[in-house]
Amino acid sequence: MPHAVIFDMDGVLIDSEPYWTEAEQHIFQQLGVRLPPEITAQTAGMSTKAVTALWYAHSPWTGMTLAEAEQAVIDYVARAVLERGQAKSGLLPLLDRLRAQNIPLAVATNSPATLMHTVLDHLKIRDYFQALCSIEEVSQGKPQPDIYHLAAQRLGVLSRDCLVFEDSVTGMTAALAAGMRVIALPAEHHWHKADYQQALTKIRSYHELPAQPAQWLQLSAVG
């Protein structure tokens, strides 16, 4: 049985990854940035600050500071969450099951606290979590392990006793570096990435998980 379960947010609690893609296209293209797919594919799981710096390095712009561009992207995603945001399939029954077994839960996200609270309130799931960790609270975001160490500390458990749900390679790298085990929920277009073989397993929906959390740690990685 995992002693605690930690959830990433975007792509794990809520199907919001498409909103980030839309936001990047909307904001950065307005600033004259061309968005080649080979660079766009690298941004999943990165902090908004890191993504903004990446695009600025690729194609510097004028008329808006990096901080203003970063906030414009966050604001776009927040609006999309409020207008269209839905919980990942099977998430709510899963949270109920974990709460019934008294397993402490945390959120650890590379998104800012304002957006994290927007998502939790919109989905009405805040009360499930005993610890909430956002990008502002650590010196280095994912793929560094800092935010996962912080989540374990706040839950009062050892990092090695935590199980993490992550959708991106960036986030999975952070959780593994923290000494945690990971169940991956890759986006369909990332499903066959070899990096996900480092996870216990990968799933398309929480409905695929065994009924008992004690069984999750015995799952086998799939190709």
Side-chain angles (χ1 to χ4, degrees), residues 178-218:
M180 300 178 179
R181 284 167 285 190
V182 179
I183 293 177
L185 292 92
E188 194 60 38
H189 57 285
H190 290 154
W191 182 261
H192 294 293
K193 276 192 173 183
D195 306 81
Y196 288 108
Q197 293 177 0
Q198 300 175 77
L200 286 173
T201 193
K202 57 185 180 181
I203 57 175
R204 288 183 167 89
S205 165
Y206 292 115
H207 295 294
E208 298 175 24
L209 290 171
Q212 296 301 318
Q215 298 174 280
W216 300 351
L217 300 182
Q218 279 71 54

Side-chain angles (χ1 to χ4, degrees), residues 20-34:
W20 288 101
T21 301
E22 290 175 24
E24 287 184 44
Q25 292 172 345
H26 181 76
I27 302 301
F28 296 125
Q29 284 182 349
Q30 283 188 334
L31 294 169
V33 179
R34 187 177 60 85

Side-chain angles (χ1 to χ4, degrees), residues 93-138:
L94 175 67
L95 294 177
D96 284 332
R97 196 185 324 160
L98 292 169
R99 181 159 65 181
Q101 299 205 26
N102 296 313
I103 298 176
L105 308 180
V107 176
T109 176
N110 258 2
S111 290
T114 53
L115 186 57
M116 176 178 66
H117 293 308
T118 296
V119 168
L120 295 176
D121 291 340
H122 178 68
L123 299 181
K124 297 180 173 61
I125 58 174
R126 177 188 296 274
D127 291 345
Y128 286 98
F129 299 97
Q130 288 73 55
L132 303 175
C133 305
S134 59
I135 187 65
E136 301 96 334
E137 299 183 274
V138 292

Side-chain angles (χ1 to χ4, degrees), residues 30-46:
Q30 283 188 334
L31 294 169
V33 179
R34 187 177 60 85
L35 305 178
E38 62 271 19
I39 298 181
T40 303
Q42 301 173 24
T43 63
M46 293 173 59

